Amino acid sequence: MQENLIQIDFSQIESLDPCVQGGYKIIYNQEIPFMIKFPDQEDQSILETIRVRIMILGNGKDLQQLTLELSSENDLFFYYFHTVDKDNFQVVKANQKLNTDFFGYPEVCVKTFRRCQLEQKQFAPILYIQQNARAQVSIVQTLEYKELALIAFEMIAGDEEIIKQHVYYKHGAVKSKFQILNAKIKDIHELVKVKNPQLLLHLQKYLPN
């Protein structure tokens, strides 16, 4: 029973995420510092923490589609995505001079952003906000004497309907998680009250009314 009190399962809430509908699986989900640049402010940039998620439909040789998603906890209306399937991957491969096939593309994406996450002094993602709801993520490696652009991802801004779905989900998810946590705290309170009332009295001295 005590183990159940500590464990918190949000899987049912997370299953309602619009990004995983239709059988998609999240294979990468991390916040990474991005340098954001704008077309009319070439000499200025903003450092912003962006959540990067990579999702796939299918797996291995059954891979059907990959989606790279950028979102921000500070701006619920910030949403860009990059989607590739087997048909349009050849264009991506040619433009980026990749030496992998479509089935290896998810691993390339995950390794790229994992490096940006773990080796921030050497690998940096730069988000170039463009016009016409477009953007580009360029991964830059800092070498001893120069910077080297490794790979770029063409991004599209989410339309009004997509953003509405994500805002609605995030708002509902936060509310539901708060309710679950609040109920869990009450359960722990009751357990401590029965098992160790002296400890509860001691804790109440430090907790707000």
Side-chain angles (χ1 to χ4, degrees):
M1 178 179 177
Q2 294 183 21
E3 291 183 358
N4 291 335
L5 285 174
I6 296 173
Q7 294 175 355
I8 301 177
D9 184 11
F10 292 138
S11 60
Q12 187 172 359
I13 297 172
E14 292 167 351
S15 68
L16 300 175
D17 188 335
C19 283
V20 299
Q21 302 306 308
Y24 281 86
K25 176 184 177 182
I26 299 174
I27 60 173
Y28 183 83
N29 182 7
Q30 293 291 336
E31 287 189 329
I32 302 174
F34 271 67
M35 193 67 70
I36 302 179
K37 295 180 177 288
F38 301 90
D40 56 344
Q41 302 174 9
E42 295 183 1
D43 58 337
Q44 298 182 11
S45 58
I46 300 173
L47 185 62
E48 183 79 22
T49 299
I50 300 298
R51 179 165 294 280
V52 179
R53 297 201 303 176
I54 300 173
M55 294 149 286
I56 57 173
L57 180 62
N59 199 5
K61 294 301 181 181
D62 295 323
L63 180 66
Q64 300 174 44
Q65 194 172 79
L66 173 143
T67 296
L68 164 65
E69 172 198 272
L70 304 182
S71 62
S72 171
E73 300 300 326
N74 297 323
D75 183 358
L76 292 178
F77 297 94
F78 177 93
Y79 186 85
Y80 285 89
F81 66 95
H82 161 87
T83 298
V84 177
D85 58 25
K86 191 173 182 179
D87 294 331
N88 61 20
F89 173 74
Q90 295 305 318
V91 176
V92 174
K93 180 176 181 177
N95 290 342
Q96 299 302 314
K97 298 179 173 60
L98 300 177
N99 58 1
T100 184
D101 58 15
F102 173 62
F103 307 109
Y105 190 52
E107 183 179 1
V108 170
C109 295
V110 170
K111 283 186 175 179
T112 297
F113 285 100
R114 188 169 287 154
R115 278 188 157 185
C116 294
Q117 173 195 351
L118 301 177
E119 304 174 57
Q120 296 181 14
K121 291 184 178 181
Q122 191 173 2
F123 297 91
I126 303 175
L127 176 63
Y128 296 93
I129 303 294
Q130 303 170 351
Q131 297 177 349
N132 301 322
R134 298 268 177 177
Q136 183 187 77
V137 173
S138 180
I139 308 300
V140 176
Q141 181 181 7
T142 300
L143 302 177
E144 185 175 0
Y145 298 109
K146 67 176 183 178
E147 291 184 342
L148 178 65
L150 298 179
I151 188 172
F153 302 92
E154 299 298 329
M155 314 293 297
I156 302 175
D159 59 25
E160 183 178 351
E161 181 60 28
I162 291 176
I163 292 176
K164 184 171 70 174
Q165 290 177 7
H166 283 273
V167 170
Y168 180 79
Y169 165 73
K170 285 185 177 181
H171 176 75
V174 170
K175 184 178 179 180
S176 298
K177 288 179 180 180
F178 176 79
Q179 291 173 343
I180 292 173
L181 288 171
N182 194 41
K184 187 69 66 174
I185 290 172
K186 289 182 179 179
D187 291 341
I188 294 173
H189 180 277
E190 292 302 318
L191 178 64
V192 174
K193 184 178 179 180
V194 173
K195 296 289 187 180
N196 196 333
Q198 292 299 320
L199 175 60
L200 180 61
L201 290 174
H202 178 73
L203 292 173
Q204 287 176 338
K205 295 179 182 180
Y206 302 95
L207 295 175
N209 296 326

